[in-house]
Amino acid sequence: MIIETLIGFAFVAALVTFLVPDEVAGRVGAALSLVPLVGTLWMWTQFDGSGNALTGGELAFETTFDLLTLSGYQVQWFTGVDGISLPLVVLTAFLTTLAIVSAWTPIDERQSQFYGLMLFMEANLLGMFTALDFFVWFVFWEATLLPMYFLIGVWGGPRRKYAAIKFFVYTNVASLLMFVGFVALAFGGLGDSIDTLALPEVAMALNAGGNVSSFMGLAPDGLKLVAFLAMFVGFAVKVPVAPLHTWLPDAHVEAPTPASVMLAGVLLKMGTYAMLRFNFTMLPDIASQLAIPIAALGAFSVIYGAVLALAQEDLKRIVAYSSVSSMGYVLLGLIAFTEFGVAGATFQMIAHGLISGLMFMAVGVIYNTTHTRMVGDMSGLADRMPVTVGIFIAGAFGYMGLPLMAGFAGEFYIFVGSFHSTVIPSAPLFTAAAMFGIVIVAGYLLLAMQRTLFGPFSLDADYEVGPAPFHDVAPLAVLLLAVIALGVAPELFLDMIKNAIAPLVGGGA
């Protein structure tokens, strides 16, 4: 019951933080967030699962009991973790604590509500990554949208209402598409062959072959194709995959820094996690048929996101577009259907969560000090805030895939896996196109650093620009240590990830 305890505690912590005075809400929220963090780290040390949760693997910390019957289908409280979900659970708790601490300086109004929403979002994310019944999973999935909507709409920048509504509309329509695709497949196609919507049972029924029947005039193959596309497009919006990404830059630019950290670090991973669980695990035959367009979308997202980042003047917008590029790598790794490709993509979700969180947090600290994020408005920051700038530079090199940093291991695995893919025709060409994205990433990050961090100090400000306070820099330092630790020892997560993806690529049980 450790999973239920942590989810329940996060909900209670959110309520408590809502009720405490604003003056202490930040400290209370940070202290309470340590409990889920310690709990998830304990789960990591005690993890004894094996295989994949959706293919009959051995779950860790599993709990199952019936909740209700819906149209003849049993809805269950069914939770557990395998080597795919546990790293994301740890990432969620880790980033939540650091994001709350990073909010102490920029959030100066309605603090108790802000920190309460952060913990409420953490509870729902923990539920989403551990739930293995579709209805429970979908409830948690949808519930993550609300706190992010309010975090952007209440504490965001000048265009916060526009950005919050755009975020909500895009992701809500995407959820509807995903829901329709899954329900048509499970309720209609599988019919009476299953009596529950537990994800492992649905996945194994689909992969058993011959169980899907016609539905609403669609032949079994047509139904599977339509369901795959509906779910894929829904998840692609959440990732986001270009050209469905337009909500992301607005959401990031207007969101307060801690919300951007959670959005890039965890919420984007909901899309790729769902793709892996639903599209690539339940319907691998359809995924293989669509390998070329999916690989093309991945490579296009890498290049398109990087080129757009190159053209930006706002540091936060540069990091936002670079996320579009990075998630393109993940998509390419998933569709490769090789051990290296899928394991690298899953590892890259964690690596990107840490590095993007570090970069958004560093930009936030720079903004707190200089009151601007525009590249053309500042230069020479390295002399005034050397520690923050040093961490920012290290994070940027992590984004470029520098060896011994987390991003290198993920990208290396993805490139090796996609290059040797037998599912993607002309796989080396797609791999080469994606690898070219690294050159562009290095270009825009080096250009931005050169203009803002080095040279003579220049900033039109009537206040002193100096080192950031310790509580602003400390989360950056902790994130950087995590990025280096996973770069030096990727096996901390990679071994359990490989074990969980093996059944998907023709190996393991």
Side-chain angles (χ1 to χ4, degrees):
M1 296 292 285
I2 179 67
I3 292 174
E4 289 70 26
T5 301
L6 296 179
I7 295 172
F9 184 88
F11 277 124
V12 173
L15 179 61
V16 170
T17 310
F18 264 118
L19 298 176
V20 300
D22 281 350
E23 292 75 17
V24 298
R27 271 62 179 176
V28 171
L32 293 176
S33 73
L34 289 175
V35 175
L37 174 58
V38 172
T40 56
L41 291 175
W42 179 84
M43 290 170 63
W44 183 21
T45 61
Q46 301 298 312
F47 178 72
D48 60 355
S50 62
N52 189 299
L54 270 59
T55 59
E58 190 70 27
L59 286 169
F61 313 110
E62 179 181 353
T63 302
T64 308
F65 56 84
D66 295 340
L67 287 178
L68 54 97
T69 301
L70 185 64
S71 299
Y73 291 86
Q74 188 64 53
V75 176
Q76 298 175 315
W77 176 268
F78 181 14
T79 59
V81 291
D82 64 3
I84 294 173
S85 53
L86 181 59
L88 291 164
V89 167
V90 176
L91 176 71
T92 299
F94 184 65
L95 283 184
T96 298
T97 297
L98 295 179
I100 286 176
V101 175
S102 76
W104 289 357
T105 295
I107 303 302
D108 56 5
E109 60 178 3
R110 300 180 181 180
Q111 290 98 327
S112 60
Q113 297 169 32
F114 180 88
Y115 296 112
L117 285 170
M118 291 287 286
L119 289 165
F120 181 72
M121 183 163 59
E122 178 188 31
N124 287 294
L125 286 167
L126 292 176
M128 194 279 300
F129 284 126
T130 56
L132 291 164
D133 179 278
F134 177 73
F135 278 99
V136 177
W137 180 87
F138 186 71
V139 168
F140 280 125
W141 172 281
E142 285 296 280
T144 61
L145 303 184
L146 290 175
M148 184 54 69
Y149 168 79
F150 286 112
L151 289 171
I152 298 172
V154 176
W155 289 273
R159 297 175 68 243
R160 57 185 178 275
K161 291 182 179 178
Y162 167 77
I165 291 173
K166 190 173 182 180
F167 161 79
F168 193 83
V169 169
Y170 265 70
T171 52
N172 209 31
V173 170
S175 298
L176 178 63
L177 273 174
M178 173 266 292
F179 183 84
V180 169
F182 182 86
V183 168
L185 189 65
F187 277 82
L190 290 175
D192 296 331
S193 61
I194 58 171
D195 58 4
T196 173
L197 294 181
L199 297 180
E201 186 164 337
V202 174
M204 286 187 278
L206 287 168
N207 284 298
N211 288 316
V212 177
S213 60
S214 300
F215 181 65
M216 296 183 68
L218 288 171
D221 287 346
L223 175 63
K224 290 167 66 175
L225 176 61
V226 171
F228 182 96
L229 291 174
M231 291 190 292
F232 182 84
V233 173
F235 299 143
V237 172
K238 194 80 173 183
V239 172
V241 175
L244 304 172
H245 67 286
T246 59
W247 62 271
L248 182 72
D250 291 320
H252 270 308
V253 169
E254 300 303 323
T257 296
S260 286
V261 170
M262 294 303 294
L263 180 59
V266 186
L267 267 69
L268 301 190
K269 312 306 175 293
M270 293 168 60
T272 46
Y273 172 77
M275 277 186 183
L276 178 55
R277 291 297 202 198
F278 289 81
N279 291 97
F280 299 113
T281 299
M282 295 185 181
L283 298 167
D285 51 337
I286 304 297
S288 297
Q289 294 172 22
L290 299 175
I292 290 180
I294 292 175
L297 276 175
F300 176 71
S301 293
V302 170
I303 303 297
Y304 187 72
V307 169
L308 286 181
L310 188 62
Q312 304 304 314
E313 283 289 311
D314 185 328
L315 277 176
K316 204 172 184 184
R317 196 172 279 270
I318 290 174
V319 181
Y321 277 114
S322 69
S323 288
V324 176
S325 183
S326 295
M327 297 311 288
Y329 292 125
V330 176
L331 184 59
L332 184 62
L334 291 177
I335 192 57
F337 269 115
T338 60
E339 180 185 0
F340 273 79
V342 181
T346 308
F347 186 84
Q348 183 67 2
M349 294 183 207
I350 311 302
H352 179 261
L354 296 174
I355 297 173
S356 63
L358 170 60
M359 293 298 285
F360 276 115
M361 215 176 277
V363 171
V365 173
I366 290 173
Y367 178 76
N368 295 339
T369 305
T370 63
H371 303 289
T372 181
R373 298 190 306 259
M374 304 309 292
V375 172
D377 290 346
M378 50 189 168
S379 68
L381 292 181
D383 292 334
R384 300 299 181 97
M385 40 195 319
V387 176
T388 302
V389 166
I391 296 175
F392 181 85
I393 293 171
F397 280 114
Y399 238 129
M400 296 176 204
L402 192 74
L404 301 182
M405 303 190 83
F408 173 79
E411 291 178 6
F412 175 78
Y413 265 64
I414 289 172
F415 292 146
V416 172
S418 64
F419 187 86
H420 292 99
S421 174
T422 57
V423 175
I424 309 172
S426 305
L429 292 179
F430 289 106
T431 306
M435 291 179 71
F436 182 67
I438 293 179
V439 178
I440 307 176
V441 169
Y444 66 68
L445 287 175
L446 291 171
L447 187 62
M449 287 193 295
Q450 179 63 41
R451 295 177 62 188
T452 59
L453 308 183
F454 303 111
F457 176 75
S458 174
L459 182 66
D460 184 17
D462 53 2
Y463 49 84
E464 184 178 355
V465 175
F470 175 77
H471 64 261
D472 280 357
V473 178
L476 292 174
V478 173
L479 267 175
L480 179 59
L481 288 175
V483 169
I484 295 172
L486 275 191
V488 174
E491 65 273 12
L492 291 173
F493 281 133
L494 203 48
D495 289 345
M496 69 171 68
I497 290 172
K498 284 181 178 178
N499 185 267
I501 62 96
L504 308 180
V505 294

